[in-house]
Amino acid sequence: MYTYINNMGNTVRENTRERENTHMFSDKVKKLLNEQITKEFYSAYLYLDFVNYYEEQGLKGFANWFMVQAQEERDHALLFIKYMQNNDIKVTLEAIGKPDVVMKKHIDALCASLTHEQFVTASIHTIYEAAYEDKDFRTMQFLDWFVKEQAEEETNANDNIKKMELFGTDSKGLYMLDQEMGARVYTPPSLVL
Ligand code: MG
């Protein structure tokens, strides 16, 4: 709250937060942003399930790859929370679903990760579309990073499937592939809010 004298000589009190934050977000965009938090945390949860599976299978490299992936997904969720907080949009944390991918073969989790990333891409595009319709340029600009990130996620998931199809059927090939997956290192997201 702050006070000033207007041109009529009257003392006016104003809420400074409202004055500073003139950008308007539609209820639809706010709802979709909030829902995306749950989806990103679910992604982390799903990939942690894959970590457990590969650990059980003795494929520590694959487990490492998905642990890094899970950390990235947590970061995505936190970026959505931060963006909403920065813009005074109320954050409501919802329940995270139980991962239910059945893994019978080593390639199953890799295929499931591609399907899941395609789902997340569609979700990001849905928010973008809603922001675009509203001329909500701020949200569009925030989502630009995620649009690019999703393209990378799908490429990585595709590459993993191709490599597994090519080399994973032979035990020596699988060993080498596990070594390669084990080399992945976590780095914080390049987007800073
Ligand atoms: Mg993500």
Side-chain angles (χ1 to χ4, degrees), residues 36 39-41 43-44 47 69 72-77 80 116-117 120 124 145-146 149-150 153:
Q36 193 63 31
K39 289 175 186 173
E40 298 294 347
F41 274 130
S43 302
Y47 295 146
Q69 193 64 24
E72 283 194 1
E73 299 303 344
R74 173 210 55 204
D75 291 339
H76 295 167
F80 274 90
H116 183 68
E117 287 304 330
V120 174
I124 296 284
W145 185 86
F146 285 91
E149 176 73 8
Q150 280 312 119
E153 302 283 38

Side-chain angles (χ1 to χ4, degrees), residues 33-44:
L33 288 170
N34 199 82
E35 285 172 359
Q36 193 63 31
I37 296 169
T38 318
K39 289 175 186 173
E40 298 294 347
F41 274 130
Y42 174 78
S43 302

